[in-house]
Amino acid sequence: MAKRSSLYIRIVEGKNLPAKDITGSSDPYCIVKVDNEPILRTATVWKTLCPFWGEEYQVHLPPTFHAVAFYVMDEDALSRDDVIGKVCLTRDTLASYPKGFSGWTHLTEVDPDEEVQGEIHLRLEVRPGARACRLRCSVLEARDLAPKDRNGASDPFVRVRYKGRTQETSIVKKSCYPRWNETFEFELEEGATEVLCVETWDWDLVSRNDFLGKVVIDIQRLQVAQPEEGWFRLQPDQTKSRRHDEGNLGSLQLEVRLRDEMVLPSSCYQPLVQLLCHEVKLGMQVRGLRAGWESPVVGLCPCPPKPILQSRKLRSGDVRSWPVPRAPSPATPWENVLFPWGALRSSEERVWDPPCLSLQGPGQLISLIEETTSTECRQDVATNLLKLFLGQGLAKDFLDLLFQLELSRTSETNTLFRSNSLASKSMESFLKVAGMQYLHGVLGPIINKVFEEKKYVELDPSKVEVKDVGCSGLHRPQTEAEVLEQSAQTLRAHLGALLSALSRSVRACPAVVRATFRQLFRRVRERFPGAQHENVPFIAVTSFLCLRFFSPAIMSPKLFHLRERHADARTSRTLLLLAKAVQNVGNMDTPASRAKEAWMEPLQPTVRQGVAQLKDFITKLVDIEEKDELDLQRTLSLQAPPVKEGPLFIHRTKGKGPLMSSSFKKLYFFLTTEALSFAKTPSSKKSALIKLANIRAAEKVEEKSFGSSHVMQVIYTDDVGRPQTAYLQCKCVNELNQWLSALRKVSINNTGLLGSYHPGIFRGDKWSCCHQKEKTGQGCDKTRSRVTLQEWNDPLDHDLEAQLIYRHLLGVEAMLWERHRELSRGAEAGTVPASPGEAPKDSLAQLLRVLQDLREAHSSSPAGSPPSEPNCLLELQT
């Protein structure tokens, strides 16, 4: 059993920011810090006071974190970036909103006395004396103090105050991890109510000393002869009056949700997982019996039918009526016959009404989960279910079941898969999890070319900007017709290149994605078989592939990790027009899509040609049989992509001498599930640097160690068991945290992981961080192996996904009970009671029993009661 905490963060936008540049504008970006540790940085939005970011992140953290802060900065090319303001949300604040914090909040000024971090190690003891008791305070050490000096460190000392008396420790130069081991004593008076104040300061020779944080201790809780020792978190100085400048620095719109989950052992979730998987597997069995029935099979009922004379208008979940099935053979009893159920007949006719049908049909639980899920939570629930079935090897069959449920309630082809149903949301998540690398391979080169060219592109005559062209002294205004023609040529070239790349990518598409589209194509063709619906199966595929996957990635490449920065206004317009063209191709160039924006007409020849290319591509994409699917999966598994790759600078320590600035080299690194390797170029021969099983920690390095930021260290053991360290430098804070996250996730189950480490380097005869002289001694800071970023290619965590599904079902349990009572009343006449002691055959009743068992398992766990709130956002205005 383990408690896991995670933060969902969405930085939406800012407004009314102050101008920091001489142009009267700013270049704002956001830095996200957890306990003063930078973990995320948004892209910079240039020349605006109302920036829009729209960036989403999910961070996994230890449950002991205290606060998350959002700093809005102004980027400067030639000088230090300016701080505009910040928003700080404590853990307690986030915990008070179980559905999440969402809204606008004012930026506040950054006060140096409030920018504290780190912890101090103290030992406190009350000792009896001849006349009065004495208070003994031992100041042992501190860690992770804020660097206040230009060299990236501080010169800390501690000031201990009690009843007007002040004593100070010695000064430790150039260290954020000082060790003092000094003791101070104070005389205590009987009944004294004063507090002991321990303050940490950075000593400066010329200027005023900088405040590093303090700890206030209530002496009355200390008992005689019972010493207390531990690490105390440093707190800011809140005695000073704060400036009331709220609103003057602008506002920031945020969505932040804290999720604490107590994950039980895997065995506790098996009944829930097996029940959900049984729903999907039963649907697979139904498909095998489809040919023997008059109408499309959606569910089965193993009970004898009863005749009724008239079909009736039903709502979802009610007992369904069905046409008379073919009579069983005389030797086959009715209880051994499976009866289909599904759509109703519109005319009056004799039908069969299986009495316990509504409780036994496959997909019943999935359908109920969709009905009881609010719109705000549907994406999260879809993602959790999709990942759960991916881990069980049933993702394709789960999606196929959702396709059938969606088709069973759709009569108009123009609304097919256009709503935010569970099927649509699950398919979106599936493509991001299983097809992101494929997306990068197809779109990456086209997106990069658009960013590199930075051409002015516009097709809408009402938005054309006429500009000067020609050589110096021979400028002439470019006509509107010329702008439109050049723009059309540019877009035709990009669209043609994209469609050509897509046509060549059939074999590169993951087998499970191809098989899922095959099922979608077949289901839609079966549901709409007429010649007038010839394009409907193709449009169903493109509604996901083009409209919900490729087009969003084209419009927002930063959010799909195709680019590191947002596009500027000119490039954004080009990407938007290209995305519109891709949507027109995906809609099969219907008259409705052409009528919306007539000024897209110059692209019609390329769009019409693209429709033929796309239909040919889809025909080949879905032409994959079960054997080919397995062979392709096996081939791709042997060519598993790296978990992370990219260029890094490597620093190595050799011998006991000082590290020289020349001891680094740029190489291309690959992290797989077996080793961290490197090569001179991406296509060069790889050389293994560190075996994955030998990694003991992956942590950041102090900036002062190499005189540069964004350096990490990988601590590992070589083949003979000797400890070694590799120092790797990244180009930005995001790349640093992504590499740290990837290394931590692939080594999380290693034996011998370190609990402490040195954030500095061993230079000469001592560590640069804490000045210890023992090279192999215990580290001066704790490791952060549980701090990771959620990525699309993360390993599946089956227990966590099951816990999240349980959490959601618990939030809608009352609705499930109400539905169970409705279904039971509707089927009461034909229900066969279960034998005494026999588990209920009703899948919904089984689900409710499983929820009860899981609630009891949580209640008996040391953490106490389970969560009782659904996992969705609460809209707040602050």
Side-chain angles (χ1 to χ4, degrees), residues 713-769:
Q713 56 179 309
V714 182
I715 305 171
Y716 65 100
T717 56
D718 57 19
D719 293 336
V720 295
R722 293 174 301 189
Q724 303 288 344
T725 304
Y727 296 97
L728 306 172
Q729 184 177 5
C730 307
K731 62 183 178 181
C732 63
V733 65
N734 279 350
E735 186 181 73
L736 171 65
N737 285 300
Q738 288 167 6
W739 271 102
L740 285 172
S741 179
L743 287 163
R744 289 166 179 169
K745 282 184 282 195
V746 296
S747 61
I748 191 64
N749 295 319
N750 284 2
T751 57
L753 290 178
L754 299 179
S756 62
Y757 78 108
H758 288 285
I761 59 175
F762 197 81
R763 177 182 283 120
D765 60 347
K766 63 181 179 181
W767 287 99
S768 63
C769 47

Side-chain angles (χ1 to χ4, degrees), residues 2 4-5 59-63 744 748 783-788:
R4 307 183 189 181
S5 296
V59 188
H60 300 289
L61 299 165
R744 289 166 179 169
I748 191 64
T783 56
R784 296 165 176 82
S785 59
R786 293 289 178 181
V787 179
T788 58

Side-chain angles (χ1 to χ4, degrees), residues 367 370 402 404-411 421-423 527:
S367 179
E370 180 175 17
L402 293 179
Q404 295 180 74
L405 293 173
E406 180 95 356
L407 287 166
S408 68
R409 58 175 179 257
T410 303
S411 57
S421 62
L422 189 63
R527 178 67 179 84

